[in-house]
């Protein structure tokens, strides 16, 4: 008998769809993926739903409503391995900017009748709600890293996802340092690798879309940004983007 | 529910971007209720833009949608450039059109072949469809990849590219880099024409409505980044007048606002509207291909939007080749904007239709307020009207087929629910 194909499920919470779209953007691999796995639950791609439990659950998006906070617990029970994909699921996403001002103020701004709206005060990562087996970073994720993580889990080994800084990727790519050579503020020294150091190769500073790397010195980098002529307000904002709520970036204001 | 009443429900609508649901209720053949519900959680983009600098807007608003980040970047960039009085180099302007060609290609191929075509042939998804139609799916993926490669070359990556900014690009490609793309575009023109013929041969339900089609219109070119907002019912306005002619209303059952034209009602944006209003601006090969398949404008059958998507893909190939052939590297990739306080409006043609942005900024370029109206919000009212008009015919079908046909009618619009939701009105009451 042919070996049972592993079942994969893809879930979406508050997000832009970009990380699960990465799967459909694997144009050359997509049909092979369809043969190798049973795509059991992936609403963006298919109306067919195969019942769980699933071997791997991929989760995109952050938790922002009471309904979703309950739903993720059910999903966890139904997935042998749970992997979060992208900055929303891993760090709360850009929508976590509400976490500082409180959703009440945000709601009042967007909605004439905020009392009708059911939403949580904070946008939080999946790991705040359930145990997560692996967190793949990026806004958006690197689709080849996703393939690596899935392959690793299916063959029972640890995924090979380098945890160095974007600076290392610039060196590998042969890009001259934009901050040293041109005085462009760059979050590369404090940002987790994975994107391939795209921004410096395109002549701009890294904006931290893969989130904080381990053991970072954001205080020293902020000082450097200010020396390069940025206002303090702007420096704090540089950390407050897609991974604003990730520990490491979240504390920047308090550090100064 | 009485014996004569029938309900059709789709709790999680598949093959659309984001989370939506469908509910249709009939009494005999009378349609009692039609709801295209959006329950995607709100992300509050307009609020989180307040206090940010103008130069953050292209990067932040890109995150509204992973399928059409280029459109968000472009509408915000144009809004600020109009306010700051920025004039960009002609070759930078052309590159923006090329950037848009890439996004139209990848988004249209995704929708036409991976999300919409399976409806016409009764497959749950494109992977299953590929077993019987391997050549079509493989070709569509190959063309889609080329679209993504254009975006990646100009922007660094296909999803949330990094190069577009107010004033131009951080980096522009060399002529040599573009010439490599050129070869692949030329090689794949015939593939796209095959795909166009393939979708033209699908079976289309006989269904037409008297739509108000709305799109941009530009005196010299098929509209992407610039133009006036026009319709087939006499609308012809500047982008700055958008909010005088278009408004949103809250409907009790849906999480998102419905757009309408003041004094008239629903309207349609997207590829079918664009091609109906701008057929004369298409390039010759696209016009020739459309003549060969017998596609005539105005086309009032929304199921045929799939043809318009593939036709625009073909046009994007022609336009990309024209741009690459004429390209001369600009002396500088961008101009530094002269920041001033005031209000800027921008509107560009996202793959799904016009996307309007409006910002107020202070003298330092700090955003004081933002308004964003995505295409799916504009199509919502029209989607429900289509469902209502289709219902008496559809309900004669067996239930499973009827539900499927309702879903297909929603997918005619390629709805992008994440887009529509960032400003939605959430209601607590569930049915």
């Amino acid at each position: 008998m042919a070996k049972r194909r592993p079942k994969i499920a893809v879930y979406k919470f508050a997000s832009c769809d970009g990380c699960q779209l990465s799967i459909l953007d694997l144009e050359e691999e997509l049909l092979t993926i369809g043969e190798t796995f049973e795509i059991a639950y992936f609403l963006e791609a298919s109306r067919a739903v195969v019942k769980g439990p699933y071997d791997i659950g991929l989760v995109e998006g952050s938790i922002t409503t009471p309904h979703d906070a309950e739903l993720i617990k059910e999903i966890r029970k139904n997935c042998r391995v749970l992997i979060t994909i992208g900055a929303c699921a891993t760090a709360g996403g850009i929508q976590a900017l509400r976490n500082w001002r409180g959703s009440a103020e945000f709601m009042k701004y967007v909605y004439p009748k905020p009392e009708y709206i059911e939403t949580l005060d904070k946008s939080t990562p999946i790991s705040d709600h359930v145990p997560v087996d692996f967190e793949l970073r990026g806004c958006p994720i690197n689709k080849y890293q996703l393939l690596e993580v899935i392959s690793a889990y299916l063959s029972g080994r640890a995924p090979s996802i380098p945890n160095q800084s974007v600076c290392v990727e610039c060196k590998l790519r042969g890009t001259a340092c934009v901050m040293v050579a041109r005085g462009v503020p760059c979050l590369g020294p404090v940002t987790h690798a994975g994107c391939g150091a795209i921004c410096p190769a395109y002549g701009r500073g890294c904006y931290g879309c893969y989130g904080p790397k381990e053991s970072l010195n954001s205080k020293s980098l902020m000082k450097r940004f200010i020396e390069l002529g940025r206002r303090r307000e702007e420096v704090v904002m540089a950390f407050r983007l897609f991974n604003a709520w990730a520990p490491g970036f979240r504390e920047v204001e308090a550090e100064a | 529910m009485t014996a004569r009443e029938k309900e059709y429900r789709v709790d999680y609508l598949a093959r659309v971007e984001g989370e939506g649901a469908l509910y249709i209720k009939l009494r005999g053949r009378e349609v009692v209720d039609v709801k295209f519900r959006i329950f995607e959680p709100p992300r509050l983009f307009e609020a989180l833009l307040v206090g940010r600098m103008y130069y953050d807007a292209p990067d932040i608003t890109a995150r509204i949608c992973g399928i059409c980040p280029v459109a968000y970047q472009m509408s915000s960039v144009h809004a600020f450039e109009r306010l700051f009085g920025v004039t960009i180099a002609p070759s930078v302007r052309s590159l923006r059109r090329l950037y848009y060609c890439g996004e139209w290609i990848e988004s249209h191929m995704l929708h036409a072949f991976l999300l919409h075509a399976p409806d016409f042939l009764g497959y749950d998804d494109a992977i299953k469809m590929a077993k019987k139609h391997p050549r079509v799916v493989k070709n569509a993926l190959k063309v889609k990849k080329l679209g993504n490669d254009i975006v990646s070359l100009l922007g660094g990556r296909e999803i949330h590219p990094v190069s577009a900014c107010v004033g131009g690009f951080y980096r522009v490609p060399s002529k040599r880099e573009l010439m490599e793309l050129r070869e692949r575009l030329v090689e794949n023109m015939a593939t796209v024409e095959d795909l166009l013929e393939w979708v033209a041969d699908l079976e289309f339900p006989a269904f037409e409505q008297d739509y108000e089609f709305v799109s941009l219109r530009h005196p010299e070119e098929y509209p992407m980044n610039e133009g006036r907002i026009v319709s087939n019912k006499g609308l012809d306005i500047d982008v700055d007048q958008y909010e005088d002619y278009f408004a949103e209303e809250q409907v009790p059952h849906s999480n998102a606002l419905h757009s309408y034209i003041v004094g008239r009602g629903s309207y349609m944006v997207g590829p079918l509207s664009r091609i109906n209003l701008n057929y004369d601006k298409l390039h010759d090969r696209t016009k020739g291909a459309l003549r060969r398949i017998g596609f005539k404008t105005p086309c009032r059958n929304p199921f045929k939007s799939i043809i318009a998507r593939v036709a625009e893909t073909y046009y994007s190939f022609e336009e990309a080749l024209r741009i690459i052939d004429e390209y001369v590297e600009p002396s500088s990739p961008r101009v530094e904007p002269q920041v001033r306080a005031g209000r800027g409006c921008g509107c560009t043609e996202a793959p799904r239709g016009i996307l309007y942005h409006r910002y107020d900024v202070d003298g330092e370029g700090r955003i004081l307020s933002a308004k964003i109206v995505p295409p799916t919000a504009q199509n919502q009212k029209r989607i429900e009207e289509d469902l209502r008009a289709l219902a008496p015919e559809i309900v004669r079908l067996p239930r499973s087929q009827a539900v499927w046909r309702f879903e297909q009618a929603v997918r005619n619009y390629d709805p992008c629910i994440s887009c529509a939701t960032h400003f939605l009105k959430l209601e607590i009451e569930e049915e």
Side-chain angles (χ1 to χ4, degrees):
Chain A
M1 200 181 92
K3 201 179 160 199
R4 185 183 70 85
R5 288 183 303 162
K7 283 189 199 173
I8 290 202
V10 184
Y11 301 95
K12 179 185 186 316
F13 291 96
S15 65
C16 79
D17 246 50
C19 290
Q20 52 175 317
L21 179 67
S22 298
I23 302 168
L24 299 178
D25 276 351
L26 283 160
E27 288 98 356
E28 284 164 357
E29 296 85 0
L30 187 63
L31 296 181
T32 314
I33 293 172
E35 285 161 15
T36 315
F37 304 104
E38 181 167 15
I39 313 273
Y41 182 92
F42 185 10
L43 286 178
E44 184 175 358
S46 179
R47 69 198 293 280
V49 173
V50 181
K51 269 195 175 166
Y54 307 112
D55 295 285
I56 292 185
L58 301 175
V59 181
E60 171 191 288
S62 67
I63 301 298
T64 59
T65 68
H67 170 264
D68 287 353
E70 286 308 308
L71 185 59
I72 188 62
K73 290 178 192 152
E74 292 307 308
I75 289 171
R76 175 68 263 194
K77 286 181 202 155
N78 221 5
C79 297
R80 196 169 57 82
V81 172
L82 195 75
I83 299 167
T84 60
I85 53 171
C88 295
T90 300
I94 184 76
Q95 57 274 18
L97 289 180
R98 74 167 76 164
N99 297 5
W100 279 271
R101 282 191 272 172
S103 68
E105 192 195 320
F106 267 36
M107 285 298 185
K108 219 163 52 194
Y109 180 82
V110 183
Y111 306 106
K113 289 177 179 167
E115 65 273 20
Y116 290 168
I117 297 160
E118 188 183 34
T119 189
L120 296 170
D121 209 36
K122 286 186 166 54
S123 167
T124 45
I126 301 300
S127 63
D128 277 14
H129 302 267
V130 295
V132 172
D133 295 288
F134 192 85
E135 295 183 310
L136 187 60
R137 288 137 167 280
C139 182
I141 56 165
N142 176 330
K143 59 190 180 184
Y144 299 109
Q145 288 198 332
L146 177 64
L147 271 188
E148 160 59 19
V149 173
I150 293 173
S151 313
Y153 273 96
L154 291 178
S155 53
R157 63 175 170 85
S160 163
I161 302 294
N163 64 356
Q164 63 238 16
S165 70
V166 169
C167 293
V168 176
E169 295 193 310
C170 263
K171 304 291 172 288
L172 289 169
R173 196 168 172 148
T175 306
C177 179
V178 292
M179 197 150 60
V180 171
R182 293 173 34 217
V184 176
C186 178
L187 287 178
V190 297
T191 300
H192 196 285
C195 65
I198 300 166
C199 286
Y202 275 68
R204 68 181 290 190
C206 164
Y207 60 66
C209 70
Y210 275 62
K213 75 174 190 83
E214 278 172 42
S215 60
L216 66 170
N217 191 345
S218 52
K219 206 171 179 176
S220 158
L221 190 66
M222 289 173 78
K223 199 170 135 242
R224 183 78 194 117
F225 278 21
I226 288 166
E227 287 164 8
L228 289 169
R230 290 295 162 110
R231 285 180 284 118
R232 197 185 144 66
E233 172 201 6
E234 287 181 278
V235 176
V236 173
M237 275 196 277
F239 285 87
R240 298 264 171 94
L241 278 168
F242 320 108
N243 292 283
W245 197 244
F249 282 4
R250 193 197 295 183
E251 306 84 1
V252 287
E253 198 169 33
E255 273 182 24
Chain B
M1 196 165 77
T2 70
R4 291 175 61 246
E5 287 186 348
K6 264 185 175 174
E7 283 185 338
Y8 297 84
R9 270 174 200 279
V10 182
D11 290 334
Y12 284 84
L13 196 60
R15 272 191 276 121
V16 297
E17 188 287 327
E19 296 181 291
L22 253 178
Y23 174 77
I24 291 146
K25 185 175 178 181
L26 288 101
R27 193 170 296 127
R29 294 199 58 198
E30 184 206 350
V31 184
V32 184
D33 202 359
V34 171
K35 287 169 181 167
F36 169 41
R37 289 184 60 229
I38 282 178
F39 55 88
E40 174 100 8
R43 295 167 69 213
L44 313 173
F45 272 89
E46 284 98 335
L48 60 87
L49 282 162
V50 173
R52 303 295 303 205
M53 298 302 287
Y54 75 91
Y55 53 72
D56 283 336
D59 294 327
I60 291 179
T61 61
R63 267 69 183 182
I64 292 173
C65 178
I67 303 179
C68 57
V70 168
Y72 281 92
Q73 294 184 342
M74 286 296 108
S75 283
S76 63
V77 157
H78 280 277
F80 290 113
E81 288 180 359
R82 281 163 69 102
L83 169 62
F84 299 151
V86 174
T87 313
I88 55 166
S91 58
V92 171
R93 184 180 186 280
S94 290
L95 284 178
R96 284 185 175 165
R97 277 184 77 77
L98 182 61
Y99 199 35
Y100 238 128
C101 287
E103 179 156 289
W104 278 14
I105 294 168
E106 62 83 11
S107 175
H108 283 349
M109 287 292 106
L110 171 72
H111 188 261
F113 294 95
L114 298 189
L115 309 184
H116 204 197
D119 283 335
F120 289 86
L121 299 169
Y123 294 101
D124 285 321
D125 54 61
I127 291 172
K128 291 193 179 105
M129 190 172 93
K131 294 204 171 88
K132 280 282 165 56
H133 301 271
R135 197 181 52 86
V136 168
V137 176
K138 280 180 188 161
N139 282 342
L141 286 169
K142 194 166 70 170
V143 174
K144 176 175 172 292
K145 181 168 167 45
L146 190 42
N148 271 333
D149 289 347
I150 295 175
V151 176
S152 291
L153 173 62
L154 293 177
R157 61 184 172 198
E158 60 267 62
I159 301 170
H160 305 329
V162 304
S163 187
C165 59
V166 178
F169 287 97
Y170 286 103
R171 175 191 185 271
V172 292
S174 66
K175 181 89 177 176
R176 193 180 52 78
E177 286 173 305
L178 290 181
M179 290 311 279
E180 283 166 19
L181 269 181
R182 186 185 193 285
E183 250 172 69
R184 294 174 55 209
L185 286 163
V186 172
E187 274 169 27
N188 283 288
M189 285 286 305
T191 309
V192 184
E193 197 167 344
D194 281 351
L195 291 171
L196 182 61
E197 281 166 15
W198 189 84
V199 292
D201 283 341
L202 294 169
E203 205 174 301
F204 296 99
F207 176 75
E208 292 195 346
Q209 296 285 293
D210 179 23
Y211 295 104
E212 178 151 12
F213 298 110
V214 173
S215 82
L216 292 184
R217 181 157 172 90
H218 188 276
E220 277 125 42
E221 58 199 18
Y222 198 78
M224 286 180 169
N225 274 29
E226 287 170 282
R228 291 173 68 78
I229 301 170
V230 303
S231 85
N232 57 326
K233 298 195 172 176
L235 187 78
D236 184 358
I237 59 168
D238 188 83
V239 170
D240 290 337
Q241 296 169 284
Y242 179 92
E243 289 173 60
D244 299 334
Y245 289 83
F246 295 86
E248 286 91 43
E249 63 186 347
Q250 188 169 6
V251 290
H253 66 263
S254 179
N255 290 352
L257 294 176
H258 285 194
S259 289
Y260 62 99
I261 298 178
V262 177
R264 280 213 288 279
S266 74
Y267 59 103
M268 180 198 284
V269 299
L272 200 57
S273 292
R274 282 195 293 263
I275 209 162
N276 281 333
L277 296 168
N278 298 282
Y279 180 86
D280 60 322
K281 302 295 180 201
L282 290 170
H283 292 316
D284 290 343
R285 283 180 74 173
T286 306
K287 280 184 192 161
L290 285 172
R291 267 195 303 274
R292 281 194 292 285
I293 62 167
F295 181 87
K296 290 190 182 69
T297 56
C299 170
R300 296 190 177 85
N301 184 341
F303 292 90
K304 291 189 176 176
S305 62
I306 191 170
I307 301 178
R309 280 185 197 96
V310 184
E312 285 195 337
T313 302
Y314 198 64
Y315 169 80
S316 298
F317 269 63
E318 278 197 279
E319 179 67 354
L321 285 170
R322 183 194 68 78
I323 291 165
I324 291 171
D325 287 339
E326 291 173 9
Y327 180 65
V328 180
E329 281 176 49
S331 52
S332 169
R334 66 178 185 279
V335 289
E336 203 55 49
Q338 296 299 307
V339 174
R340 67 178 186 87
R343 167 170 291 193
C345 304
C347 185
T348 69
E349 284 284 0
R352 289 154 193 77
I354 57 169
L355 166 61
Y356 173 78
H357 286 214
R358 180 255 289 158
Y359 300 94
D360 289 306
V361 297
D362 69 13
E364 287 178 310
R366 206 178 279 109
I367 296 170
L368 302 172
S369 76
K371 182 185 174 80
I372 297 170
V373 188
T376 294
Q378 304 183 65
N379 278 332
Q380 262 195 120
K381 191 178 172 69
R382 189 57 248 185
I383 291 172
E384 287 192 349
E385 288 175 11
D386 276 10
L387 292 171
R388 193 172 280 274
L390 275 162
E393 210 44 53
I394 287 181
V395 295
R396 295 178 179 184
L397 299 169
R399 172 168 287 269
S400 64
Q401 280 181 41
V403 168
W404 198 318
R405 182 55 60 84
F406 281 127
E407 289 180 36
Q408 182 182 8
V410 173
R411 287 193 279 264
N412 284 338
Y413 288 82
D414 187 4
C416 189
I417 294 171
S418 292
C419 288
T421 306
H422 68 277
F423 72 118
L424 61 75
K425 312 267 173 193
L426 253 186
E427 43 151 0
I428 299 167
E429 206 179 356
E430 294 282 334
E431 285 195 45

